[in-house]
Amino acid sequence: MPMVGSNNMLPLGGGRISNLGTKISYDPTWSDPLNVKRKADNISFTVVYYLFVCLWVGVAVYAYCVVNVGFLIFNFCLYFWIESISSDDDYPAHLVLCHFVNAVALVWIICHVYGFFKVSVSGAYGTWYWSMNKKEVPKFTTLRFIYIAFRYHIGPTAFGSLIITVCTILQILLAYVETSGVDGTLGTDLCSCGLDCCDTALYILKAVIEAVTGMAYVHIGNHGTGFIDAARVSFTLFKRNYAKIAVIAQIATDTIFMCVLEDYEMNGGSSRPFHMSNKLKDLVLENRLE
């Protein structure tokens, strides 16, 4: 859905003016997520993701050839094999790489699978929401969006999940540093305070990134854009309507309240009625900022 119109300028505390982004305007060519013309975005991240999965499988095949274990349990066997043969004196350097690949692959694949199904479910929910007659929603909508996400949105979900993976790996490394520093090398009060501050800052940063990424996944499922555009549009939509988020979130999921916010900015009046329910409409209109 294109973002057109003038900037929405609202006064904040102290009389200062903040640019809250361009409001969503009605687009007569857009009907629902199922009919959006999509294209593959963030192709470079698609390539990187598949290459990394191939690397992970290569590590698994290496474990299979050395340990001669069943392929379906290669990851667990690789871990226990590394732990069983290693010690402080004879720890092969290449096994450190195996540990690293396994850790990153575990986090990235889990985050990517979550993002993949978030996009799929968001598209299905969005199709239901933007249908005036809910009984006319096509059958097997979720399965259709699983196919759409696999065909067009592997790159955006790989991009978003990679950002979360980097934050998670940094948290793991920071926890390792905190643990290894207890013996006195880094165990001073100043270092402990610094590590605690870094841990808190990283926790907050990851929470913000996860929230923005989740909203971006919803936008991707509904509008089929790339990750950067989806994150930008979703975040500015959130900023413009922050007062309504707490109210809507009480009775709606993430996907639904993102649709409600778009519905609120785009529709209204007799010519373009709201798609939201009467209960949501009352809550939203009672918390107008304008």
Side-chain angles (χ1 to χ4, degrees):
M1 184 179 302
M3 306 287 292
V4 295
S6 59
N7 287 340
N8 181 22
M9 309 292 287
L10 293 178
L12 299 179
R16 292 178 295 178
I17 302 298
S18 176
N19 187 349
L20 298 181
T22 306
K23 294 184 68 173
I24 297 176
S25 297
Y26 176 71
D27 181 6
T29 64
W30 190 88
S31 57
D32 61 75
L34 198 58
N35 295 315
V36 170
K37 293 183 179 179
R38 302 171 186 262
K39 64 177 182 178
D41 287 300
N42 305 121
I43 298 178
S44 58
F45 287 93
T46 304
V47 175
V48 171
Y49 178 75
Y50 282 133
L51 288 177
F52 189 83
V53 171
C54 291
L55 174 63
W56 182 54
V57 173
V59 172
V61 172
Y62 172 74
Y64 171 77
C65 295
V66 174
V67 192
N68 193 23
V69 296
F71 187 78
L72 293 178
I73 56 173
F74 62 84
N75 202 32
F76 296 102
C77 291
L78 174 63
Y79 174 79
F80 288 115
W81 170 62
I82 291 174
E83 294 298 325
S84 64
I85 69 170
S86 61
S87 65
D88 294 335
D89 298 327
D90 57 348
Y91 198 96
H94 66 279
L95 294 185
V96 177
L97 177 62
C98 293
H99 268 310
F100 179 77
V101 171
N102 266 318
V104 175
L106 176 65
V107 178
W108 195 2
I109 291 175
I110 290 176
C111 293
H112 183 261
V113 170
Y114 169 80
F116 178 86
F117 283 102
K118 179 83 171 180
V119 170
S120 303
V121 173
S122 298
Y125 274 157
T127 301
W128 171 84
Y129 181 89
W130 294 108
S131 298
M132 295 300 295
N133 187 354
K134 308 304 182 186
K135 295 182 179 180
E136 295 180 355
V137 176
K139 296 181 179 179
F140 308 110
T141 305
T142 303
L143 293 178
R144 293 185 183 185
F145 273 99
I146 290 176
Y147 167 75
I148 290 173
F150 182 78
R151 181 176 179 181
Y152 297 107
H153 303 313
I154 292 294
T157 51
F159 190 0
S161 58
L162 178 60
I163 299 175
I164 298 176
T165 300
V166 171
C167 293
T168 304
I169 296 300
L170 289 177
Q171 282 185 318
I172 295 173
L173 293 177
L174 187 60
Y176 174 77
V177 171
E178 290 178 339
T179 303
S180 62
V182 177
D183 58 357
T185 305
L186 296 174
T188 64
D189 294 338
L190 182 61
C191 290
S192 298
C193 180
L195 290 174
D196 290 339
C197 292
C198 292
D199 189 25
T200 303
L202 189 58
Y203 175 83
I204 296 174
L205 176 63
K206 183 183 176 183
V208 173
I209 290 176
E210 286 178 340
V212 175
T213 302
M215 292 188 292
Y217 288 154
V218 175
H219 190 84
I220 292 170
N222 281 280
H223 302 286
T225 61
F227 180 80
I228 295 295
D229 291 337
R232 175 181 55 81
V233 173
S234 301
F235 186 65
T236 54
L237 178 65
F238 176 85
K239 288 195 301 180
R240 288 194 302 270
N241 301 278
Y242 59 88
K244 303 178 182 65
I245 298 297
V247 178
I248 301 174
Q250 296 177 6
I251 60 173
T253 63
D254 293 345
T255 303
I256 297 299
F257 79 65
M258 291 297 293
C259 293
V260 169
L261 295 182
E262 291 188 23
D263 191 10
Y264 167 73
E265 289 196 348
M266 184 176 61
N267 295 317
S270 57
S271 60
R272 298 196 306 272
F274 290 117
H275 289 70
M276 67 186 77
S277 65
N278 292 330
K279 185 176 181 179
L280 277 173
K281 188 189 305 181
D282 293 338
L283 287 173
V284 171
L285 296 182
E286 285 176 1
N287 290 272
R288 283 184 182 271
L289 292 180
E290 293 82 7

